[in-house]
Amino acid sequence: PLQPDGDLRAMRMAWRMLAPGAHLILSVPVGPDVVVWNLHRRYGELRLPLILAGWGEARRFGWDEVRARAHADFRRSYEPIFVLVRNGTAADMLDHTWALQRVEPAETSVQTCDA
């Protein structure tokens, strides 16, 4: 079955499987938030904090603030690498509302793909 929050579930599963202090290397498409149903997501000011909830950030490779905010066709990919450290508590993984409170509301878009 389709799970619109499958990405967040996968990150929670990885968090539960790793011991505190363990590292996870993650690369996801970054830019203005967009969901291309049922193809992929792009993580921006709204979704990026959600997927990183419960993780500390040890390092970023290839991060470019201009590219992270630039509007681009969903078919073009910019994927920096995040080195994450498992931290926090189980409650941090269940409650994502703090992430939404830290950012200004941003315009999101939904695009469809007839592939």
Side-chain angles (χ1 to χ4, degrees):
L2 298 177
Q3 294 181 334
D5 64 341
D7 54 342
L8 303 178
R9 289 174 181 238
M11 287 300 286
R12 285 193 302 267
M13 182 183 300
W15 188 90
R16 287 191 306 265
M17 292 173 63
L18 295 174
H23 288 79
L24 174 77
I25 297 174
L26 175 72
S27 182
V28 294
V30 172
D33 288 277
V34 66
V35 175
V36 182
W37 188 259
N38 179 35
L39 186 61
H40 72 269
R41 294 161 179 79
R42 187 170 56 206
Y43 297 86
E45 292 180 346
L46 293 176
R47 287 195 71 86
L48 191 57
L50 294 177
I51 201 164
L52 298 179
W55 298 91
E57 197 174 316
R59 188 108 190 248
R60 283 185 192 180
F61 294 96
W63 182 260
D64 181 347
E65 191 68 34
V66 173
R67 286 185 74 184
R69 296 183 180 274
H71 289 281
D73 186 304
F74 72 87
R75 293 174 191 90
R76 299 183 71 182
S77 184
Y78 161 59
E79 299 183 21
I81 297 171
F82 299 87
V83 179
L84 305 175
V85 179
R86 186 211 187 261
N87 64 10
T89 66
D92 293 334
M93 292 304 299
L94 298 174
D95 180 13
H96 295 297
T97 57
W98 66 269
L100 294 175
Q101 294 169 356
R102 292 179 17 186
V103 297
E104 295 295 320
E107 180 181 317
T108 60
S109 62
V110 176
Q111 300 177 17
T112 58
C113 179
D114 297 326

